[in-house]
Amino acid sequence: MKAYELLFFVAPSIDEESRLAAFKRIETTIAENNGTIDNVDNWGKRKLAYEINDMTDGDYTLIDFHAEPASIEELNRILRISDAVERHMIVARTDRD
């Protein structure tokens, strides 16, 4: 398995239940593909570099995980169709393999 990190943000106005549901869906997708979550770091509300969808702030979460490279496409698909997740980025961490 390879090491990855996922950074995503949701609208700060979203309720806590929806934010947790989005995280749970990510966690489930990683687990279903035999991946493991190493660390979850909730950064909280941060100012965006530029306005996205009329938002100037976002509620950020960083997830460090290990997964098979083939499962990353499924995780990307889940994140793209999620209404709660505004933007996301998955990066391979070769220094943590």
Side-chain angles (χ1 to χ4, degrees):
M1 284 198 277
K2 294 193 174 276
Y4 295 93
E5 75 180 14
L6 162 64
L7 180 66
F8 71 95
F9 77 89
V10 297
S13 59
I14 199 169
D15 59 288
E16 186 67 19
E17 256 183 50
S18 298
R19 191 177 76 70
L20 288 175
F23 173 73
K24 187 67 176 169
R25 181 134 188 224
I26 293 167
E27 186 179 45
T28 303
T29 303
I30 292 171
E32 283 175 350
N33 291 300
N34 300 322
T36 57
I37 294 179
D38 302 325
N39 187 33
V40 176
D41 191 11
N42 187 3
W43 290 2
K45 187 176 174 182
R46 300 277 176 111
K47 185 119 176 104
L48 299 175
Y50 53 90
E51 192 173 293
I52 298 174
N53 298 336
D54 297 325
M55 292 186 307
T56 56
D57 296 320
D59 189 357
Y60 284 84
T61 303
L62 177 70
I63 302 173
D64 293 320
F65 66 100
H66 280 79
E68 294 297 331
S71 67
I72 299 302
E73 187 57 38
E74 175 65 13
L75 183 56
N76 259 324
R77 187 187 72 78
I78 294 296
L79 289 163
R80 277 194 308 268
I81 64 173
S82 174
D83 291 335
V85 176
E86 295 293 332
R87 294 282 197 277
H88 73 279
M89 182 170 59
I90 301 174
V91 178
R93 294 297 307 258
T94 56
D95 60 329
R96 295 184 185 168
D97 281 342

